Amino acid sequence: MSTHLEKAQRVVVKIGSALLTDAETGKLNRTWLQALVEDVARMRARGQEMMIVSSGAIALGRRALKLAPGKLKLEESQAAAAVGQIGLAHAFQEILSAYGFSCAQILLTLEDTEERRRYLNARSTINTLLKLGAVPVINENDTVATTEIRYGDNDRLAARVASMVSADCLVLLSDVDGLYTAPPHLPGAKHLPEVAEITPEIEAMAGDAASIYSRGGMKTKIAAARIATEGGARMAIANGRSLHPLKAIEEGARCTWFAAHSTPFAARKRWISGSLKSLGTITIDNGAVKALMGGRSLLPAGVTAIEGEFGRGDAVSVHDAEGHEIARGLSAYASDDARTIMGHSSHEIEELLGYSGRAEMIHRDDLVLKKP
Ligand code: GLU
């Protein structure tokens, strides 16, 4: 089981506020963070892609603003996050750069992972950062998120991020070492090292206990597990209290692993071909059909007709010259712009549209070929 982490290609590590900040003083726990970054650096050196979802903005900011202990009002926590996020990002930047990494701050709101157009943008930015070797450090944009449209907890945010970027592993580091059959302090409570399926019994085992800083109790962790495993990632709930928590997992520290229900690739393809309604049709020439069959992206040059009205990121059907549906995909252009650039080569896009959009009309990652 310890090899789950070592075998992963793309890993999201979520850090709870209770680990990053001292409960007494509210100060950032630098020694701990440094040890974590050391773990991240070691995994990176092995060729694994790493990103961090970090809580702690509110916990740090409330101390700086001298807010009274206890539950904060929404606007107070938003104010605290505005202050705390700077300190948080600064600490990550300082420590990551000491290990030779560029630190990239990404603040997301719920709409960024739920609305397809924004989702595609966030996804491609994170992919680009990973390609360039940076370590994305992600948090919710608490300051602008309103009650109705916020995650509220970073467990689910991390799970959404994991499935958005097709990560194959998510580790939730907090102050619990996994899921138990009953509250851990009760006699007879048994630790579960592996959960193959999130059944109603498993859900019932999740109590509601959350620490004073983090809103995410076991319930949100199970909700996160559902999202992550359906998106093709294996997920661990692990205790991050000791230094080098990732190394500890690799060395067999107690934690709970939730099995992935598919691969990130299959989950994404299923999402594109199965759950999205096609809003238009893009007809392509034989050359483009060949390119698609060969695993390439769809370029505007090979497009001969566009039907329907669709926006950027909407699902469309791709037809060959005879009108057979050969693929489904997410269009990088809205239908009007797609009509303008169809038949043209990609370097003409800027001149035709007045902005430099993507070179592909449908990127191959956003394309699913129909079975012949
Ligand atoms: N986004 C919040 C923060 O940075 C944390 C939410 C959570 O505790 O899960 O303070």
Side-chain angles (χ1 to χ4, degrees):
M1 267 172 290
S2 56
T3 56
H4 288 341
L5 192 54
E6 285 161 81
K7 278 204 293 212
Q9 299 268 306
R10 185 172 272 201
V11 184
V12 179
V13 180
K14 182 257 170 177
I15 308 174
S17 304
L19 299 176
L20 259 182
T21 53
D22 186 287
E24 301 275 293
T25 62
K27 270 199 192 146
L28 190 93
N29 195 343
R30 294 185 78 88
T31 317
W32 184 87
L33 185 55
Q34 196 158 340
L36 178 92
V37 169
E38 225 165 86
D39 282 359
V40 168
R42 208 169 25 85
M43 294 176 73
R44 272 282 301 261
R46 270 205 305 250
Q48 295 173 287
E49 290 177 309
M50 305 294 299
M51 71 205 95
I52 298 169
V53 172
S54 180
S55 306
I58 298 173
L60 287 175
R62 64 183 296 158
R63 172 178 175 265
L65 293 172
K66 301 192 174 58
L67 291 166
K71 204 169 155 22
L72 297 177
K73 291 197 207 104
L74 177 66
E75 56 275 24
E76 284 173 334
S77 56
Q78 294 190 305
V83 171
Q85 184 61 34
I86 299 180
L88 192 60
H90 185 70
F92 271 102
Q93 204 256 331
E94 227 173 56
I95 297 174
L96 280 166
S97 71
Y99 286 85
F101 299 118
S102 300
C103 168
Q105 172 180 256
I106 301 178
L107 298 177
L108 296 173
T109 58
L110 188 64
E111 294 144 305
D112 294 318
T113 58
E114 305 308 295
E115 201 209 292
R116 213 159 37 250
R117 197 158 54 90
R118 293 171 65 158
Y119 166 108
L120 291 175
N121 266 333
R123 174 186 163 88
S124 94
T125 306
I126 295 175
N127 279 337
T128 306
L129 286 166
L130 290 173
K131 223 183 280 163
L132 296 172
V135 176
V137 177
I138 302 162
N139 196 358
E140 181 163 16
N141 196 350
D142 290 305
T143 298
V144 296
T146 61
T147 335
E148 314 82 66
I149 51 153
R150 69 200 311 249
Y151 299 95
D153 67 86
N154 278 5
D155 294 328
R156 282 176 301 171
L157 169 66
R160 286 271 178 234
V161 167
S163 70
M164 178 168 83
V165 301
S166 302
D168 56 350
C169 183
L170 167 65
V171 180
L172 301 183
L173 293 177
S174 70
D175 49 5
V176 289
D177 59 5
L179 185 65
Y180 287 76
T181 51
H185 60 273
L186 296 182
K190 273 212 336 252
H191 177 264
L192 298 171
E194 286 264 1
V195 174
E197 186 111 26
I198 304 165
T199 57
E201 288 75 33
I202 293 289
E203 272 177 337
M205 289 172 196
D208 233 348
S211 75
I212 47 166
Y213 290 135
S214 131
R215 271 176 295 255
M218 194 51 82
K219 273 220 167 93
T220 66
K221 289 183 175 45
I222 301 293
R226 204 175 265 292
I227 298 165
T229 57
E230 274 168 18
R234 205 188 280 282
M235 191 190 98
I237 298 177
N239 192 336
R241 283 238 169 263
S242 61
L243 297 183
H244 300 291
L246 299 176
K247 189 157 171 257
I249 296 173
E250 286 178 8
E251 288 168 355
R254 174 180 270 208
C255 63
T256 299
W257 280 104
F258 293 80
H261 278 188
S262 68
T263 63
F265 186 72
R268 184 166 164 78
K269 298 271 158 166
R270 199 174 51 238
W271 176 67
I272 292 171
S273 65
S275 25
L276 301 175
K277 193 168 156 271
S278 163
L279 295 178
T281 304
I282 296 183
T283 305
I284 63 174
D285 63 22
N286 291 339
V289 172
K290 259 209 197 121
L292 261 51
M293 297 300 178
R296 310 255 291 277
S297 298
L298 175 63
L299 302 177
V303 176
T304 56
I306 306 274
E307 272 164 57
E309 296 304 316
F310 49 87
R312 249 193 90 197
D314 280 339
V316 291
S317 311
V318 180
H319 287 190
D320 65 12
E322 281 82 50
H324 302 119
E325 183 177 54
I326 59 157
R328 281 276 175 113
L330 306 180
S331 176
Y333 289 92
S335 46
D336 284 352
D337 286 353
R339 281 189 188 96
T340 309
I341 61 172
M342 71 182 195
H344 289 274
S345 70
S346 300
H347 68 259
E348 294 172 282
I349 292 175
E350 184 162 8
E351 199 186 313
L352 289 163
L353 298 180
Y355 65 88
S356 68
R358 304 251 152 93
E360 308 86 15
M361 182 128 6
I362 303 178
H363 191 276
R364 63 193 166 103
D365 290 350
D366 298 330
L367 196 69
V368 186
L369 296 178
K370 292 265 152 180
K371 292 218 174 68

